């Protein structure tokens, strides 16, 4: 083969490789360990969702699924961006929260470079979908949400609350409530829901909006009290806690869902394999038992329904962020 033909053959290699059916590649997937990025520290909703699912996927796929807590702060933006930049080969997945769509809008709100776009991701499956709950220390003087609101009106900007970072799910939920109640609270951001919860338990902050599964063990131990539910309906794990809509705060509706994503250019056969594996994982008795014990019931959706859910929920959250505006 002369040099010209050799160069032509070399140039054609990528095209030949792409012409090999994705299906053949997917039949061998996975051939090595998979990384599941969680853009928060341990102890929060995304981590709670990731670990049982990762264990189930290991059994189904036959390769280790390593949970990688990318606790870089920024409400999860750092980990989300890392997953967006990863090679779309099925070996870097993302277990993230409803703040996925909010964070790019927050960047635009503050005229910052946008770390990633939601269009860079492909929804694979929803895992959990819980309303956020307002929790305070059991030793706090507030017995009801109304007690909390009345005190906050007397002391604007003095009651502190923790979050997983600016414009993360916990932050938006609390600001949504504060906006509807006409109160001013003092936001104290942390690197994730786990550290924010630790701060609440230690008395560093006085409130938090978090998922039922994150709060239930502490409530059962008598360390925390839940005052209100940001969902449209009461939930089985906290049946006596009223919704904020019941209490007259009609604009307060916030859910902290967790779902698995891959890159938008992931080959379709690999996406199908992951969807099949997630369907099996989410029906696993071990996974169901783990989530049931935590107080967060499985809310599985396959990719088509999950994609529609993400689009609708994201539109609502982005509108809420724009209404809240620039807050620190």
């Amino acid at each position: 083969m002369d040099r010209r033909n050799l160069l032509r053959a070399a140039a054609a290699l990528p095209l030949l490789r792409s012409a090999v059916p994705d299906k053949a590649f997917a039949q061998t997937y996975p051939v090595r360990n998979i990384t599941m990025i969680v853009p928060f520290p341990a102890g929060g909703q995304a981590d709670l969702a990731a670990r049982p699912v990762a264990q189930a996927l290991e059994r189904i796929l036959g390769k280790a699924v390593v949970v990688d807590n990318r606790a870089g702060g920024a409400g999860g933006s750092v980990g989300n961006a890392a997953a967006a930049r990863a090679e779309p080969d099925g070996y870097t997945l993302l277990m993230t929260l409803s703040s996925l769509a909010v964070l790019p809008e927050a960047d635009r709100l503050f005229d910052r470079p946008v770390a990633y776009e939601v269009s860079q991701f492909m929804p694979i499956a929803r895992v959990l979908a819980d309303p956020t709950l307002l929790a305070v220390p059991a030793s706090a003087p507030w017995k009801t949400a109304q007690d909390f609101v009345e005190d906050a009106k007397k002391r604007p900007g003095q009651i502190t609350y923790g979050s997983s970072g600016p414009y993360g799910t916990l932050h938006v939920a609390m600001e949504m409530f504060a906006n509807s109640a006409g109160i001013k609270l003092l936001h104290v951001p942390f690197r994730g829901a786990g550290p924010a919860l630790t701060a609440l338990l230690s008395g560093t902050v006085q409130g938090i909006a978090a998922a039922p599964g994150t709060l239930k063990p502490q409530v059962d131990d008598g360390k925390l009290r839940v005052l209100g539910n940001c969902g449209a309906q009461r939930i089985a794990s906290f049946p006596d806690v009223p919704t904020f809509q019941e209490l007259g705060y009609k604009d307060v509706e916030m859910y902290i869902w967790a779902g698995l994503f891959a890159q938008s250019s992931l080959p379709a056969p690999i996406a199908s394999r992951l969807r099949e594996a997630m369907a099996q994982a989410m029906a696993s008795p071990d996974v169901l038992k783990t989530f049931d014990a935590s107080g967060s019931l499985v809310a599985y959706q396959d990719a088509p329904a999950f994609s529609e859910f993400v689009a609708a929920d994201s539109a609502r959250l982005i509108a809420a962020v724009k209404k809240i505006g620039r807050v620190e």
Side-chain angles (χ1 to χ4, degrees):
M1 181 182 291
D2 61 27
R3 184 173 182 274
R4 180 177 297 177
N5 288 334
L6 181 63
L7 290 174
R8 285 175 179 170
L13 281 175
L15 296 176
L16 289 172
R17 185 176 178 183
S18 65
V20 175
D22 286 338
K23 190 171 184 179
F25 177 49
Q27 286 173 349
T28 66
Y29 171 83
V31 297
R32 54 187 171 87
N33 294 349
I34 297 168
T35 296
M36 183 184 292
I37 292 177
V38 173
F40 304 98
Q45 181 81 336
D47 190 70
L48 172 71
R51 294 190 180 274
V53 169
Q55 291 177 7
L57 288 177
E58 284 187 1
R59 295 192 295 269
I60 295 163
L61 296 174
K63 293 294 180 181
V65 179
V66 181
V67 175
D68 180 3
N69 292 91
R70 297 285 182 95
S77 183
V78 172
N80 291 344
R85 294 191 299 266
E87 190 71 22
D89 55 10
Y91 291 100
T92 303
L93 306 176
L94 175 68
M95 183 70 78
T96 195
L97 302 180
S98 41
S99 54
L100 179 72
V102 170
L103 298 172
E105 295 305 314
D107 284 340
R108 281 186 267 272
L109 192 65
F110 283 85
D111 298 319
R112 297 188 298 245
V114 177
Y116 65 88
E117 296 288 359
V118 178
S119 60
Q120 292 177 262
F121 293 103
M122 173 191 296
I124 300 295
R126 191 179 73 177
V127 176
L128 303 174
D130 295 309
T132 51
L133 307 178
L134 170 60
V136 299
S139 59
W142 316 298
K143 305 300 183 184
T144 66
Q146 193 56 38
D147 291 342
F148 185 91
V149 170
E150 289 175 1
D151 192 18
K153 287 183 176 179
K154 295 174 185 174
R155 300 186 294 135
Q158 294 185 44
I159 297 177
T160 57
Y161 73 91
S163 83
S164 56
Y167 290 92
T169 307
L170 280 60
H171 180 206
V172 173
M174 285 298 285
E175 287 301 323
M176 186 184 289
F177 166 54
N179 187 279
S180 182
I183 57 177
K184 177 68 175 176
L185 305 172
L186 180 59
H187 177 217
V188 183
F190 293 88
R191 293 168 67 87
L197 179 61
T198 298
L200 180 65
L201 293 168
S202 69
T204 303
V205 296
Q206 298 166 281
I208 192 175
T214 303
L215 299 174
K216 193 174 188 302
Q218 309 301 332
V219 174
D220 290 346
D221 286 346
K223 296 176 181 177
L224 296 181
R225 176 186 303 126
V226 175
L227 303 183
N229 171 357
C230 290
Q233 298 177 335
R234 296 193 184 197
I235 56 174
S237 53
F238 290 94
D240 297 328
V241 175
T243 69
F244 284 111
Q245 293 185 3
E246 286 179 60
L247 299 174
Y249 306 110
K250 302 300 183 183
D251 296 332
V252 180
E253 186 174 359
M254 182 80 184
Y255 300 90
I256 183 167
W257 53 258
L260 188 70
F261 292 80
Q263 298 73 27
S264 58
S265 53
L266 184 72
I270 298 178
S272 295
R273 179 72 184 104
L274 285 170
R275 287 173 57 191
E276 291 168 2
M278 282 298 291
Q280 295 177 55
M282 298 309 295
S284 163
D286 289 342
V287 171
L288 294 171
K289 182 179 178 181
T290 299
F291 288 139
D292 183 54
S294 74
S296 288
L297 298 179
V298 165
Y300 168 70
Q301 283 184 333
D302 188 23
F306 184 34
S307 296
E308 292 182 6
F309 173 84
V310 169
D313 191 65
S314 296
R316 187 173 58 79
L317 291 182
I318 289 169
V321 166
K322 289 179 178 178
K323 182 177 180 179
I324 292 167
R326 293 177 60 147
V327 294
E328 299 298 334

